[in-house]
Every structure is written in structure tokens, then in C-alpha cells.
Amino acid sequence: KTLRSNSTLLGINLYQNNVGPEGACSLAAALCENKTLEFLNLWRNGIGYKGCQAFARMLSTNRTMKTLYLQTNGITDQGGADVADALTVNTSLVRLHIGGNELSEA
């Protein structure tokens, strides 16, 4: 709830904090409304497909996120495809780190 309306926080580092899919969904929902956060590190948090899908939805609407770390989260090809689709409409993201997941080479 606080993150939705926060107007000063620019970045959050949650590296290896066991956020999980449910936590990722809550965080992504808050970021759909947040207008200031530019950096989020979710490296090694086990967000899986469900969490990745939530972040793809967030990327479709969020216009402030510039850097997003999603490495080593059990993200599969479908999650990668969802993020790729979101990036077709996102105008703010400059860096996306998504390596170390279960993505096939294509």
C-alpha cells in the first residue's frame, strides 16, 4: 500500500529475499500505480511464471521503471514472451536483466 503512493523512493534492491510468486504479484500491482520508482532488483527471488506475468502487466502500464533485474527466477519461455510483449508498449525501461532463467535460445 505504501509503495503505491510513495513519491520519493527511486530504487529497491531485493536481491535473494525469497519474494516468491505471491510477493512478486503484490509488488508488481503496487508498481502499476507508483510514479517514481526507477530501479528494482529481484535477482534470485523465485518469482516463477506467475510473478513474471505480473511484472509483464506492470511493464505495460508503468512509465517510470528504467532498470529491472529478473535474473535467476525460474522464468520460462512463456514468461519471457509475456515480458517481450509488454516491452512493445513500454517507453521507459532501458535495462532488463533476465539471464539465468529457463529461457530457450530463439
Side-chain angles (χ1 to χ4, degrees):
K1 190 173 181 179
T2 302
L3 186 56
R4 292 176 195 265
S5 59
N6 183 284
S7 61
T8 56
L9 191 63
L10 297 177
I12 300 175
N13 184 352
L14 293 172
Y15 171 78
Q16 208 165 346
N17 267 275
N18 297 315
V19 170
E22 296 302 319
C25 288
S26 296
L27 188 55
L31 291 176
C32 284
E33 297 178 34
N34 180 281
K35 305 291 187 237
T36 57
L37 200 75
E38 297 178 355
F39 171 89
L40 178 61
N41 182 355
L42 283 175
W43 191 359
R44 291 185 184 232
N45 275 284
I47 69 170
Y49 173 66
K50 187 175 179 182
C52 184
Q53 188 178 41
F55 273 96
R57 282 192 302 272
M58 179 276 293
L59 288 171
S60 295
T61 60
N62 181 286
R63 297 295 176 251
T64 57
M65 183 67 61
K66 292 182 180 177
T67 302
L68 181 60
Y69 286 81
L70 295 176
Q71 290 120 306
T72 316
N73 272 297
I75 297 170
T76 60
D77 286 341
Q78 184 58 52
D82 291 346
V83 169
D85 287 343
L87 293 177
T88 64
V89 295
N90 181 284
T91 58
S92 63
L93 198 70
V94 178
R95 287 177 215 85
L96 173 64
H97 303 271
I98 198 166
N101 284 293
E102 299 167 23
L103 303 171
S104 60
E105 294 183 32

